[in-house]
Amino acid sequence: MPSFPATRVGSINRALARAGCLTLNGTETEHPSGPAILLLYDTVLETLAAYPWQHFRSFAKLARTDAPADYQWSYAFTLPADRVGLPVAIYDRADCRSPFMVFQYLDNLLMSDAAEIWCRYPRLVEPGLWPGYFMDLFTLNLAAEYALAIREDERLRATLLRECFGPPELHGQGGRFAHATGMDSQAQPSEQAGNGYDPFTSLYRSGG
């Protein structure tokens, strides 16, 4: 396979080439399947990002303001602007010894009586910051979707998905995904891998 830069367009071209499709010569909009290419890129990335990969995790101390007088809490903390979804853990001390549970979410705020709040949260980063094992997984998963959406090749899609997530009896936990999650856990073991959450079982079983 040709070499592609670790950019959004480069990632798309890598998957298009893997699926045997025409690659981009310019912008995404110049490709005959431009809208589908972008939609599937975002869909696959958001689905894979539901697993707590280390490179999609960040840690921050939240900025505090006084809570409005009509609320039961003393303080309002602004959640990180670059987050995707809710934080995975909240702490009321810098050493993060144990999760803190006494708070309430309100729109883009976290309400609490704690004087200080830290959080671990998911965010998306550019392909240039992805480790190789995730890039390989993403490319294969996206190629499977391009195989169906652009080439209308159901057999190729099934083959690529099997390589990506393993045979059906592994319920989406095998193949390149198993390798990638194993590498990720070695990079920095999490308290509970995946927090017991599996975003892929239903995707694999439904075939999309």
Side-chain angles (χ1 to χ4, degrees):
M1 182 184 296
S3 177
F4 297 102
T7 62
R8 177 185 172 97
V9 172
S11 301
I12 289 173
N13 276 337
R14 187 179 292 105
L16 287 170
R18 182 68 176 82
C21 301
L22 179 69
T23 57
L24 302 173
N25 291 321
T27 65
E28 299 93 323
T29 57
E30 296 175 10
H31 194 280
S33 302
I37 284 175
L38 296 177
L39 176 62
L40 289 171
Y41 178 96
D42 291 339
T43 299
V44 170
L45 180 57
E46 290 171 6
T47 300
L48 289 177
Y51 182 88
W53 305 99
Q54 299 299 333
H55 57 284
F56 285 151
R57 282 192 175 190
S58 190
F59 181 76
K61 182 178 182 180
L62 302 186
R64 187 191 77 189
T65 60
D66 290 336
D70 55 344
Y71 283 92
Q72 61 176 324
W73 306 102
S74 300
Y75 304 108
F77 296 85
T78 302
L79 294 171
D82 61 345
R83 66 187 173 87
V84 178
L86 293 175
V88 296
I90 300 294
Y91 305 94
D92 65 339
R93 44 191 295 170
D95 60 10
C96 303
R97 181 169 299 177
S98 60
F100 179 67
M101 305 297 292
V102 188
F103 61 87
Q104 176 186 354
Y105 290 120
L106 179 65
D107 297 326
N108 196 43
L109 298 174
L110 181 150
M111 317 295 292
S112 180
D113 290 329
E116 295 180 304
I117 290 289
W118 291 260
C119 78
R120 297 190 189 279
Y121 66 96
R123 64 171 183 164
L124 297 181
V125 296
E126 293 301 312
L129 298 176
W130 298 353
Y133 57 81
F134 182 82
M135 178 66 81
D136 290 344
L137 173 67
F138 176 80
T139 298
L140 198 59
N141 195 175
L142 185 58
E145 301 310 322
Y146 286 162
L148 182 62
I150 299 175
R151 296 188 56 181
E152 299 183 351
D153 191 332
E154 295 183 5
R155 179 174 296 180
L156 177 57
R157 179 177 186 264
T159 298
L160 293 174
L161 283 179
R162 186 182 183 94
E163 183 179 347
C164 195
F165 298 117
E169 59 266 25
L170 294 182
H171 306 292
Q173 298 295 302
R176 200 68 62 85
F177 175 73
H179 171 74
T181 54
M183 294 290 292
D184 195 66
S185 65
Q186 292 177 28
Q188 182 180 344
S190 60
E191 295 83 359
Q192 182 182 357
N195 291 323
Y197 176 62
D198 168 24
F200 306 107
T201 299
S202 59
L203 175 69
Y204 189 92
R205 287 176 176 171
S206 65

